[in-house]
Every structure is written in structure tokens, then in C-alpha cells.
């Protein structure tokens, strides 16, 4: 009789951990290391995240600080979610503010320097499909001399009523690209990019601050915490 597959022995030493679990475990370990290395920790939130801009900021701060953007539960586990399991006294208070678009900053910089940096940080970029238009953009009938004649077919695909008139791209009627307060269509987002109009601003807001002898909540950051980020 053939042996049952159910009864075959399994060598546990050869069982590999799932990559996701290893990655989460590494983040927890790195956060715990940062807790010991830096004197204060902040929860921050953001509008219109731009990965390259955040990478530049990380590079700028690498000698004094460490930024974490990871799963909320992973960051909460590393900090502790109650006084019983917190890594240091009072750290669990940060965990309840890790909501929506939020991250952690560990730093040795003075509080005033951190607050000024976040207050002044502002990076403009082109808005993405689905983000909210910050103004109404309307193109008037007539020549669009900023575009070459090769662009005419592409502009028509974006919904612009254009034609070639003696080699010049011409708008045959007024055209509203987007309306203030309404979400951008893919065509509108592409047209704004062609026009060089940047409607998205990547901003950071402090939500709360922890140190070994202090805890503070920032009202401005609380207003933005939990907001969607589709721009």
C-alpha cells in the first residue's frame, strides 16, 4: 500500500519564512533601534505624497533623523499600543495617531528646528488623475502657439477641439480643461501637464511629538490626519 502523503515527515528547519513577515520584522527592529538612538519622535501626515521628494528629504536628514512610512499596525507594534507593551514610557501615545496618511520621524534635532522645517516644507508638482482642481482653467478660441503641429492629434485625443491652420495648432472653440473643486479626469491631468500648470503641493504636517519627558499634539496636523491622498 502506498504511503499517505499526510504522514510524510516535515523538516521544520527547512521551512522558509514568508518574505512579508521578514520585511515587517525588519521594520519593527529598525524602529526599536531608532527609539534608542534618537531623543524624540513625531507622527506626521502629508498631502500629495511624492516619493522622490521624500527620498530627497530623507537624504537631507540622514545625519540627524530617520523617517518611517510603513504599515500602521507594524509601526504601532514597534512603539507599543499600551503602557504594558510600549518600548519607552509614553511612546504608546503616538500609536493612536498613526491613521490615514501618516508616518514616523525619529530625530535628535531641536523641536524648534523640526517645527520650522515642517512649516516651510513645500514642493510643487503636477496633479494626478482624480485629484481636486485648485482653479478653473479655460482655454480661449484661437492659436495655441506653445504646441507644435505634431502635437495636434495628441491634443485631440485629450478632448481639445483643435485643428491645424497653416501649420499652427488652433483651438476652434473655448475649452474648459478643469473646474475648481472638481476631480481631474485623465485627459485634464495630461493637458495641465502639457500646459506646465502644477496644481499639487506636497506638504508635511506634524501631528504629535514625544520625548522622554514630554508629549504634545499639533492642532494643524490633526486637521489633515486621515485625509485621502490621490493628487
Amino acid at each position: 500500500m502506498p504511503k499517505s502523503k499526510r504522514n510524510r515527515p516535515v523538516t521544520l528547519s527547512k521551512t522558509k519564512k514568508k518574505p512579508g513577515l521578514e520585511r515587517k520584522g525588519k521594520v519593527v527592529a529598525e524602529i526599536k533601534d531608532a527609539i534608542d538612538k534618537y531623543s524624540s519622535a513625531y507622527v506626521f501626515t502629508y498631502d500629495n505624497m511624492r516619493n522622490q521628494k521624500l527620498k530627497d528629504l530623507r537624504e537631507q536628514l540622514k545625519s540627524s533623523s530617520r523617517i518611517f512610512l510603513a504599515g500602521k499596525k507594524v509601526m504601532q507594534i514597534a512603539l507599543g499600543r499600551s503602557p504594558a507593551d510600549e518600548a519607552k514610557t509614553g511612546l504608546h501615545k503616538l500609536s493612536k495617531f498613526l491613521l490615514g496618511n501618516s508616518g514616523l520621524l525619529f530625530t535628535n534635532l531641536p523641536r524648534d528646528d523640526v517645527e520650522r522645517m515642517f512649516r516651510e516644507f513645500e514642493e510643487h508638482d503636477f496633479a494626478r488623475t482624480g485629484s481636486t482642481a485648485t482653479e478653473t482653467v479655460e482655454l480661449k478660441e484661437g492659436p495655441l502657439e506653445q504646441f507644435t503641429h505634431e502635437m495636434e492629434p495628441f491634443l485631440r485625443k485629450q478632448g481639445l477641439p483643435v485643428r491645424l491652420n497653416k501649420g499652427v495648432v488652433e483651438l476652434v472653440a473655448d475649452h474648459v480643461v478643469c473646474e475648481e473643486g472638481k476631480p481631474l479626469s485623465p485627459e485634464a491631468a495630461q493637458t495641465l501637464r502639457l500646459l506646465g500648470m502644477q496644481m499639487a503641493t506636497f506638504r508635511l504636517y506634524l501631528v504629535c511629538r514625544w520625548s522622554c519627558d514630554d508629549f504634545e499634539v499639533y492642532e494643524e496636523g490633526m486637521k489633515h490626519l486621515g485625509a485621502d491622498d490621490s493628487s
Side-chain angles (χ1 to χ4, degrees), residues 2 27 30-31 39 49 54 69-70 79 97 100 111 126 137 153 162 176 181 189-190 207 209 211:
V27 172
E30 289 177 349
I31 291 176
S39 60
M49 170 59 71
L54 182 67
L69 279 177
L79 295 172
F97 293 98
R111 181 178 64 181
F126 296 106
V137 176
V162 293
V176 176
Q190 182 62 53
V207 176
R209 170 186 175 272
S211 67

Side-chain angles (χ1 to χ4, degrees), residues 47-221:
D47 289 337
N48 305 321
M49 170 59 71
R50 295 298 184 264
N51 291 331
Q52 184 57 50
K53 303 296 185 182
L54 182 67
K55 183 179 179 181
D56 294 343
L57 181 63
R58 278 188 163 125
E59 182 65 22
Q60 176 188 333
L61 295 174
K62 69 178 183 180
S63 64
S64 63
S65 312
R66 181 80 188 269
I67 293 173
F68 291 92
L69 279 177
K72 307 303 180 292
K73 289 183 179 180
V74 172
M75 292 191 289
Q76 289 170 347
I77 288 170
L79 295 172
R81 288 186 260 196
S82 70
D85 62 3
E86 61 188 6
K88 283 189 177 181
T89 302
L91 261 179
H92 79 278
K93 295 177 182 178
L94 294 176
S95 290
K96 71 176 183 178
F97 293 98
L98 288 168
L99 305 168
N101 299 319
S102 59
L104 288 170
L105 167 71
F106 291 90
T107 185
N108 287 323
L109 291 172
R111 181 178 64 181
D112 289 348
D113 289 356
V114 175
E115 291 175 352
R116 181 174 61 254
M117 177 182 66
F118 272 69
R119 187 169 56 248
E120 295 176 354
F121 184 87
E122 186 176 273
E123 295 285 351
H124 299 284
D125 200 356
F126 296 106
R128 296 169 179 166
T129 299
S131 61
T132 302
T134 58
E135 62 180 289
T136 296
V137 176
E138 182 177 7
L139 300 176
K140 295 297 184 180
E141 178 184 351
L144 298 174
E145 296 179 352
Q146 65 267 51
F147 300 119
T148 62
H149 67 276
E150 293 95 342
M151 292 287 294
E152 189 264 345
F154 184 74
L155 293 172
R156 272 193 283 111
K157 287 184 180 179
Q158 307 313 309
L160 274 68
V162 293
R163 67 180 179 186
L164 282 178
N165 184 2
K166 298 180 180 180
V168 176
V169 178
E170 183 179 72
L171 200 65
V172 299
D174 293 350
H175 177 71
V176 176
V177 177
C178 60
E179 295 183 56
E180 182 179 357
K182 293 186 177 181
L184 294 178
S185 66
E187 294 77 16
Q190 182 62 53
T191 301
L192 291 173
R193 182 177 287 270
L194 292 172
L195 294 169
M197 299 188 66
Q198 297 181 329
M199 283 194 179
T201 305
F202 175 28
R203 290 191 178 96
L204 300 172
Y205 306 93
L206 294 174
V207 176
C208 57
R209 170 186 175 272
W210 170 91
S211 67
C212 61
D213 57 359
D214 190 26
F215 186 79
E216 181 180 4
V217 176
Y218 296 90
E219 290 186 11
E220 179 66 18

